[in-house]
Amino acid sequence: MKLIFEKSVAGRRGVRLPRCDVPIERDKLKGLKRKELPDLPEVSELDTVRHFTELSRHNFGVDTGFYPLGSCTMKYNPKIGEEAVRYQGFSRLHPLLPQLRQGGILTQGALQVIYETERFLSEITGMAEFTMQPLAGAHGELTGIMLIAAYHKSRGIKKTKVIIPDSAHGTNPASAAIAGYEVVSVPSDKNGVMDFSEFRKVIDEKVAAVMLTCPNTLGLFNPDIKKIADRTHQAGGLMYYDGANLNAILGKCRPGDVGFDVVHLNLHKTFGTPHGGGGPGAGPVGVKEHLREFLPISLVVKRPDGTYALEYNRPKSIGYVAPFYGNFGVILKCYVYILLLGREGLIRAAENAVLNANYMMEKLKSYYHLPYDRRCMHEFVLSANKQKKHGVKALDIAKRLLDFSFHPPTIYFPLIVEEAMMIEPAETESGETLDKFIEVMIQIAKEAEQEPQTIKDAPHNLDICRLDEVKAAREPNLKYVRVA
Amino acid sequence: MPYVSNTDEDRARMLGELGLKSIEELFSDIPADLRPSSFNLPPGLSELEVRRFTQTLADKNATDLICFLGGGFYDHFIPAALDTIISRSEFYTAYTPYQPEISQGTLQAIYEYQSAVCHLTDMDAANASLYDGGTALYEAMMMAVRITKRRKVIVDEGVSPIYRKMLHCYTGNLALEFVEIPVARNGRADRQAIETQLDKNTSCLILQNPNFFGCVDDITDMAESAQKSGSLVILSTYPISLGILKTPGEMQVDIATGEGQSLGLGLSFGGPYLGFMAVRSQYIRQMPGRIVGETTDKNGQRGFVLTLQTREQHIRREKATSNICSNEALCALSAIVYLSLIGKEGLKEVTELCSAKADYTLKRLLEIPGVKMRFPVPIFNEFTLELPRDAGDIIGQLIEKGIMAGFPLGRYYKNMEKCMLIAVTEKRTKEEIGMLAEALEAVL
């Protein structure tokens, strides 16, 4: 498809702007101006709408079809959330308004949304309080680790390490490292969870935190989680909960009750806000009482008279992690989601997410290798090892699924499973959809034995074939340059 | 139950196939003593009830104030077609384009966005987006620390105080030396003080243009000095202003960053916004976050993929250039759609309107006795006034008259309690500017 720049025609205009109703002084910025106008598209409104509509038709979302991308919780996103963020009282609200005198009273509705969402999340996870500021999951991780650093620092204890299991999301070690910690990786045991005896070898007084996802990226709940928390606390460390997989345990288990001190949530995963093609998300961070004083500036508080205000006087706070109060639009969608589902709906979501995953695992495990054959939670990981004997890799299977209008699972992650295919169906999908996907996966398993080339050449039904990623990295072409 | 497709019968059938009797058996790995001590949430509501309630909350917020409030976040015009496009659920219900064959829409749009950012800034390469302007600046600073292996950071106090607070926050646990340099008397960066601080330990010099006070500058001389000492120059910018102002590329900047909210995103009470970053070619492989590149399929057909991924956390883990995973892809889409709808000539017109209306506002307000211009240098669409008394009080009084007149600089700067920052966009009319002038005169 042509780029929008290639559709440009000199002199063509899109949207018209108002005539200037005040005098224009031409040379006030003399010597401070750019030499030439930037090369931006010159297209009509129709050109623009057609171009991007055409692009959207070359995209796949949850609304297009089944999207079992493991660890991403691609559930359906209720449309009322999209409507709510477009109400002018939210969409046009200037973030600096509540910081002005008389401004707080004019933002009460927005402050209430933040306050009540914060209260809901605290109850859901069993934490004392959340900061709603972090702008994505990884941003939440960084915030959480900085909170942990501030806690240890305030107690005058120098800690240098963060323990992370080898099955963790890549963001965990990356977040710990950029916050200034050495990362200690612990292998998984034969049951797919962090090896407790290996863990005991590395836990010591230098450990600031143990960062865990539970259920982990294999979709497995670690029954020894309490033992790990106790041992970590004994050594003076804190427990960090990566909430990417919270969807599995809503109403069944709360990280706070297990002994986690810090939790981040991905509102775009568990709480039904859309993923936006890679964002915006939101990654609020909850803490227990002993870390509360370090939470970022500012917090929304409820005054005795029932009004809401921003609290800035927080002397021990780590400071500003975001310019304002978080990705407000995403927080609002999360709020709407919790109001819609309520207590029973959230529990039902977790139950069906887990049921759907177990159902698929059961149906597929005789066709694909299941390295950890035990009850899973919201997701499970298959390996394409069996198919590899016929020259068919996880990547090939992913591409073959495209021919059947399914989004493939997450592949080659977690790193501890060879040829991994991580499948997370989410609770919003029906049994019929799962059955169709299962049927196709079984067909592909048979094809791998009988006609592997069909899989290796996939996709067949799209208007583009597999793309050359090596070429893209070797000779980076990252922007359009107009040919004179 | 809404948003869960399986009926009770479906559940029973599926459980049966698993050889289970109850849903609870699925959760048997969670020990009894780890079950929730409480899960106290309200019962679910119907969509109609939720709509009514959220509308009530929206209505509690002011929507009719005339906006002269900026400070890095501006009330610009957003064309109607933009929302039509970003409401396409093929875009907004997708995730990161890991499977390029069914994600060409997102990937091509990001490539076009990267191109537009490069053209606006005159830089060689841009990434696919960061969270916001503040985290973009932080990522740029960390890049400079990595590239130079030096630990001193020089920041001009004309850089947004909000962003400076963010830089401090992120580096609380890192051994970095921060030197913040107050602006010169004319409101611009203090050349002499910066020159004195630049040394062989300096990783970067961080500047902003126009700066937080609205002052416009040509920073080429400072860029040269910094580069002579082996430091990188980072410039935080306001993308709309790049329709007219000298670009980061023209001023020899190494890393340009900024807040993309002004490119078609609503103010939305602080987010979602859009951080952008553009760099010189030698720093491409040090950039954080996603990058989209052009390539071909086996038939030679053009297509787009996520590229240079060995920089990223999912591959490099603790050695990655950043921990970022989800970014602000849909906001980047908004930005490229905005720039397409407005277009090359349109952006010039937007900047002319902003600039002319700001000049006019300034002229009108300076006619009021006791009102003074704080800094005697050219401005784009934002400027600092000195008032006869506390600016915060005056702004409060003007809010009661239905006008968000500006931002009280005393909130972040010592000895500026009487100063107010006023922003004027293309949306403000001569009439509204007149109302501001009359209201201000009335309260003084």
Side-chain angles (χ1 to χ4, degrees), chain B residues 243-411:
Chain B
I244 189 166
L245 296 184
K246 201 167 256 195
T247 63
E250 287 172 333
M251 298 191 287
Q252 300 185 31
V253 163
D254 295 292
I255 308 173
T257 65
E259 173 51 65
Q261 176 271 328
S262 56
L263 303 175
L265 298 170
L267 283 161
S268 187
F269 207 49
Y273 287 166
L274 166 67
F276 67 85
M277 175 184 280
V279 302
R280 292 189 190 225
S281 56
Q282 63 262 44
Y283 304 126
I284 288 174
R285 284 167 201 272
Q286 285 294 332
M287 268 202 288
R290 313 285 185 201
I291 299 173
V292 173
E294 186 185 304
T295 187
T296 48
D297 72 2
K298 67 177 178 193
N299 302 323
Q301 194 186 339
R302 175 165 72 183
F304 302 88
V305 293
L306 292 175
T307 194
L308 306 176
Q309 294 191 69
T310 49
R311 302 163 296 110
E312 291 190 66
Q313 47 77 27
H314 59 286
I315 294 176
R316 195 57 66 84
R317 297 175 80 82
E318 65 267 27
K319 295 191 178 66
T321 56
S322 166
N323 69 333
I324 191 168
C325 181
S326 283
N327 52 27
E328 305 286 309
L330 197 70
C331 305
L333 174 68
S334 296
I336 182 61
V337 172
Y338 172 84
L339 290 169
S340 304
L341 289 168
I342 290 287
K344 184 180 187 172
E345 290 293 328
L347 185 66
K348 179 169 159 260
E349 279 178 29
V350 170
T351 60
E352 280 173 357
L353 285 166
C354 288
S355 165
K357 286 172 190 245
D359 290 346
Y360 178 75
T361 310
L362 179 60
K363 183 171 151 280
R364 283 293 310 266
L365 299 181
L366 288 178
E367 286 164 9
I368 302 168
V371 176
K372 283 185 278 189
M373 174 95 174
R374 182 71 165 79
F375 302 114
V377 294
I379 57 137
F380 168 55
N381 76 330
E382 202 164 16
F383 54 87
T384 301
L385 287 185
E386 193 165 320
L387 304 172
R389 58 188 172 87
D390 186 278
D393 286 341
I394 293 169
I395 290 166
Q397 287 175 292
L398 294 174
I399 283 181
E400 287 178 347
K401 290 173 179 282
I403 301 171
M404 285 193 287
F407 188 73
L409 285 164
R411 187 173 163 76

Side-chain angles (χ1 to χ4, degrees), chain B residues 80-133:
Chain B
L82 189 143
D83 198 46
T84 304
I85 292 166
I86 63 157
S87 298
R88 302 269 319 180
S89 68
E90 297 89 338
F91 285 129
Y92 81 77
T93 70
Y95 204 11
T96 306
Y98 295 117
Q99 296 290 339
E101 296 83 357
I102 49 165
S103 310
Q104 284 300 299
T106 295
L107 288 162
Q108 183 173 331
I110 292 174
Y111 179 86
E112 292 174 349
Y113 158 83
Q114 289 174 181
S115 304
V117 169
C118 291
H119 298 167
L120 270 179
T121 54
D122 270 336
M123 302 294 286
D124 297 325
N127 74 4
S129 74
L130 297 161
Y131 309 130
D132 82 303

Side-chain angles (χ1 to χ4, degrees), chain A residues 6 28 32 34 39 59 83 93-94 101 123 139 252 276-278 321 343 348 363 399 428 468 477, chain B residues 5 8 17 24 38 40 51 73 94 99 101 106 111 119 170 242 246 269 295 302 327 359 393:
Chain A
E6 292 163 344
K28 72 160 193 179
L32 297 168
R34 64 185 297 154
D39 181 9
N59 232 32
E83 183 182 296
L93 199 57
H94 200 296
R101 236 157 276 173
E123 176 63 18
H139 197 216
K252 300 293 178 188
V321 299
R343 181 180 189 278
R348 191 87 172 184
K363 296 269 180 171
K399 300 304 179 195
T428 48
D468 188 345
N477 169 349
Chain B
S5 297
D8 287 343
E17 299 212 24
E24 268 313 308
S38 146
N40 186 18
R51 172 184 287 165
F73 311 93
Q99 296 290 339
E101 296 83 357
T106 295
Y111 179 86
H119 298 167
Y170 288 117
L242 294 175
K246 201 167 256 195
F269 207 49
T295 187
R302 175 165 72 183
N327 52 27
D359 290 346
D393 286 341

Side-chain angles (χ1 to χ4, degrees), chain B residues 198-216:
Chain B
L198 283 167
D199 58 24
K200 62 179 186 354
N201 299 319
T202 309
S203 62
C204 57
L205 168 63
I206 303 179
L207 301 164
Q208 177 175 319
N209 192 50
N211 71 10
F212 194 70
F213 306 116
C215 303
V216 176

Side-chain angles (χ1 to χ4, degrees), chain A residues 118 121-122 125 127-132 263 265 284-286 295 299:
Chain A
E118 185 281 313
L121 298 182
S122 291
T125 54
M127 305 306 282
E129 187 160 3
F130 270 73
T131 167
M132 300 303 291
V263 169
L265 302 178
V285 171
L295 285 173
L299 287 174

